């Protein structure tokens, strides 16, 4: 037996075995690339590095199908780099694109089959993409374009080239087919991760918005529960807890505390003569005038109907009387146009203060002061209206049976 034939057979077997190991190494390295929602360009760059490191393929690139229906370079050498042309570059990538069916790259995308250009200088598929006014590039002798397909859909094209013609073998074709299939699955998985991330972000944003809306609605209803819609003053629900806290502080610190109960005189006549819309306007204007006169720390609320109540922390009876008279005088000077008339109203005000009392329970003490202010108010209304009366001044004139 001729030993040379034996040596050649062994060398060929050894070469095939090495190529098989290189192919398996490339696939193993490719499968080890983590798919964690990274940018697609980064994933493709990593895949091409694997190809270069484990195969004798140093000139490779990936063209991906874009939303505009063209193939554009996203990783590795661009076409202009491949054929060493001048110009046409923008932002690190050239503007070279291929349409499906155009050139080797376009044919691979259109047909979904591997395109092997063994002698680029004579292959019309390659020559059709070259500029006829320039000499043919010497940097490309052979070229393989492999479609990157997943679930029957072409995502892009993997290209490898070599300066020598007829460089690539069937072994290269098989390796690149398997490699591109692996790569396609990785791309689909990566896109799925991206879609899931976007979906999670969208759902999270929707949930956060829903929670924000619910919180805003909660605050709105909480506010509405303590705000009188007509006058925009606080209501009874707000007044009593706040007044009770202020009174408790006054008792602890031995400070004065007073209550004003304010009623619009003859308000029913306003509604009957001018209508409820005019009556509502009067209540809004009265509320505004009182709000302007009270201090920031005072507690003002609409008590119900045409009545208003003011808790005055750190205010004795004399100071409360001065405030009441000022409010009354201001309202007496106000005029509001209603039709051809100019409407005015007067106020009756009842005043009561903490004074020296033996009641220690705050709620009971507050209820007592409010009751006395109410008695003083109605004493004033039954005795001429348009006045402020203090409970301490009229207590001896009240009917004990009442």
């Amino acid at each position: 037996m001729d030993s040379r034939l034996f040596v050649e057979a062994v060398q060929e077997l050894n070469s095939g075995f090495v190529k098989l190991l290189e192919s398996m190494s490339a696939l193993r390295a490719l499968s080890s690339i983590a798919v964690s929602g990274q940018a697609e360009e980064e994933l493709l760059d990593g895949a091409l590095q694997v190809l270069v490191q484990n195969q004798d393929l140093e000139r490779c690139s990936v063209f991906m199908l874009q939303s505009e229906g063209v193939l554009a370079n996203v990783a590795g050498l661009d076409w202009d780099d491949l054929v060493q042309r001048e110009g046409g570059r923008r932002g690190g990538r050239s503007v070279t694109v291929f349409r499906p069916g155009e050139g080797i790259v376009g044919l691979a995308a259109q047909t979904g089959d591997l395109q092997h250009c063994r002698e680029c200088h004579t292959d019309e598929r390659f020559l059709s993409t070259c500029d006829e006014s320039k000499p043919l590039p010497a940097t490309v002798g052979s070229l393989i374009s492999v479609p990157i397909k997943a679930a029957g859909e072409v995502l892009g094209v993997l290209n490898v080239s070599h300066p020598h013609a007829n460089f690539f073998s069937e072994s290269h074709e098989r390796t690149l087919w398997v490699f591109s299939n692996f790569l396609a699955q990785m791309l689909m998985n990566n896109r799925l991760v991206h879609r899931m991330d976007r979906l999670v972000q969208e759902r999270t944003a929707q949930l956060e918005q829903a929670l924000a809306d619910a919180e805003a609605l909660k605050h709105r209803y909480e506010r509405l529960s303590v705000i009188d819609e007509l006058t925009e003053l606080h209501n009874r629900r707000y007044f009593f807890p706040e007044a009770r806290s202020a009174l408790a502080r006054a008792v602890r610190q031995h400070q004065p505390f007073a209550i004003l109960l304010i009623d619009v005189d003859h308000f029913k006549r306003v509604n009957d003569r001018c209508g409820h819309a005019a009556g509502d306007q009067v209540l809004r204007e009265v509320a505004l005038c009182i709000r302007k006169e009270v201090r920031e720390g005072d507690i003002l609320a609409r008590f119900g109907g045409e009545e208003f109540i003011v808790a005055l922390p750190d205010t004795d009876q004399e100071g409360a009387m001065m405030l009441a008279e000022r409010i009354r005088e201001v309202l007496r000077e106000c005029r509001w146009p209603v039709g051809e008339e100019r409407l005015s109203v007067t106020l009756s005000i009842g005043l009561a203060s903490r004074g020296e009392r033996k009641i220690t329970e705050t709620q009971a003490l507050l209820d007592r002061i409010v009751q006395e202010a109410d008695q003083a108010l109605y004493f004033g209304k039954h005795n001429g209206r348009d006045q402020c009366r203090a409970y301490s001044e009229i207590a001896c004139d009240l009917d004990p049976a009442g």
Side-chain angles (χ1 to χ4, degrees):
M1 180 177 179
D2 191 343
S3 61
R4 287 178 301 175
L5 296 176
F6 178 76
V7 170
E8 289 175 359
V10 170
Q11 290 176 341
E12 183 178 352
L13 180 62
N14 183 64
S15 175
F17 184 69
V18 170
K19 289 181 179 180
L20 177 60
L21 288 178
E22 289 176 345
S23 299
M24 293 178 66
S25 297
L27 296 176
R28 182 178 182 278
L30 181 63
S31 65
S32 67
I33 296 177
V35 177
S36 56
Q38 60 182 305
E40 195 161 278
E41 290 80 1
E42 294 178 4
L43 189 152
L44 291 170
D45 282 336
L48 293 185
Q49 288 178 21
V50 165
L51 199 58
V52 169
Q53 291 167 1
N54 294 277
Q55 295 281 296
D56 52 350
L57 308 171
E58 297 183 0
R59 305 175 61 80
C60 51
S61 64
V62 173
F63 280 68
M64 295 298 291
L65 194 62
Q66 307 297 306
S67 58
E68 300 86 358
V70 297
L71 293 153
N73 173 253
V74 296
L77 293 174
D78 186 37
W79 191 259
D80 284 335
D81 300 309
L82 190 68
V83 298
Q84 295 182 348
R85 294 178 179 175
E86 297 292 332
R89 300 188 66 77
R90 180 174 61 194
R93 296 284 182 200
S94 87
V95 296
T96 306
V97 296
F98 292 96
R99 294 176 179 81
E102 182 180 25
I104 298 290
V105 178
L107 281 171
Q110 183 183 60
T111 63
D113 293 325
L114 180 147
Q115 301 294 317
H116 188 171
C117 181
R118 291 176 171 79
E119 294 188 20
C120 292
H121 286 72
T122 60
D123 195 316
E124 287 298 327
R125 295 173 300 170
F126 179 80
L127 295 177
S128 64
T129 59
C130 296
D131 190 343
E132 295 180 358
S133 65
K134 296 181 180 180
L136 292 176
T139 55
V140 182
S142 51
L143 171 69
I144 292 181
S145 294
V146 189
I148 303 171
K149 295 193 300 182
E153 177 187 359
V154 174
L155 307 179
V157 176
L158 170 66
N159 304 288
V160 295
S161 68
H162 196 276
H164 297 157
N166 297 302
F167 174 79
F168 299 113
S169 64
E170 292 183 3
S171 175
H172 286 113
E173 291 184 5
R174 289 193 295 270
T175 298
L176 291 173
W177 257 124
V178 176
F179 188 89
S180 68
N181 287 336
F182 266 69
L183 182 57
Q185 193 58 55
M186 290 178 65
L187 287 169
M188 290 298 288
N189 291 342
N190 192 57
R191 291 180 180 183
L192 179 60
V193 171
H194 273 293
R195 283 197 292 269
M196 291 296 293
D197 285 343
R198 285 196 298 270
L199 184 61
V200 169
Q201 291 173 3
E202 290 172 3
R203 293 292 186 267
T204 301
Q206 291 171 0
L207 179 58
E208 289 175 348
Q209 185 60 50
L211 290 174
D213 292 343
E215 190 67 19
L217 194 60
K218 174 187 173 184
H219 288 315
R220 170 176 167 77
Y221 280 113
E222 285 177 348
R223 183 177 182 275
L224 289 176
S225 70
V226 296
I227 295 294
D228 175 62
E229 186 175 1
L230 176 63
T231 63
E232 296 187 353
L233 297 180
H234 288 107
N235 57 21
R236 295 169 67 107
R237 184 191 296 271
Y238 175 88
F239 175 81
F240 278 104
E242 293 296 317
R244 185 167 58 248
S245 297
L247 178 57
R249 286 193 299 271
V251 171
R252 285 197 308 271
Q253 299 171 10
H254 305 288
Q255 294 176 340
F257 181 91
I259 291 284
L260 295 182
L261 199 56
I262 305 169
D263 185 85
V264 180
D265 294 329
H266 300 298
F267 184 71
K268 185 175 183 301
R269 295 181 186 177
V270 175
N271 281 333
D272 292 344
R273 187 178 62 172
C274 303
H276 287 280
D280 289 346
Q281 181 61 29
V282 167
L283 290 178
R284 282 191 289 266
E285 295 292 342
V286 170
L288 182 61
C289 289
I290 298 173
R291 176 182 283 171
K292 289 180 179 179
E293 297 301 323
V294 300
R295 302 167 303 181
E296 184 175 351
D298 297 336
I299 305 165
L300 169 63
R302 184 182 179 190
F303 206 55
E306 63 271 23
E307 286 189 342
F308 302 87
I309 191 168
V310 187
L312 304 170
D314 198 19
T315 304
D316 58 16
Q317 180 170 305
E318 182 181 358
M321 182 64 74
M322 291 176 60
L323 174 62
E325 290 297 339
R326 189 164 66 247
I327 292 172
R328 208 166 53 81
E329 290 298 326
V330 168
L331 260 297
R332 188 186 289 117
E333 299 300 322
C334 291
R335 298 290 185 275
W336 303 286
V338 177
E340 298 180 356
E341 300 184 41
R342 293 186 65 80
L343 186 64
S344 64
V345 296
T346 60
L347 301 178
S348 294
I349 303 176
L351 186 162
S353 60
R354 182 173 75 86
E356 298 296 329
R357 298 175 185 271
K358 296 181 180 180
I359 303 175
T360 57
E361 203 278 313
T362 306
Q363 184 62 56
L365 179 56
L366 179 61
D367 291 343
R368 180 61 184 171
I369 298 173
V370 172
Q371 181 183 6
E372 290 177 357
D374 186 61
Q375 289 177 308
L377 167 66
Y378 280 94
F379 184 90
K381 292 184 77 69
H382 289 305
N383 289 273
R385 293 185 171 83
D386 189 19
Q387 57 186 286
C388 177
R389 304 305 293 265
Y391 178 81
S392 62
E393 296 173 350
I394 58 93
C396 59
D397 297 325
L398 295 175
D399 181 2

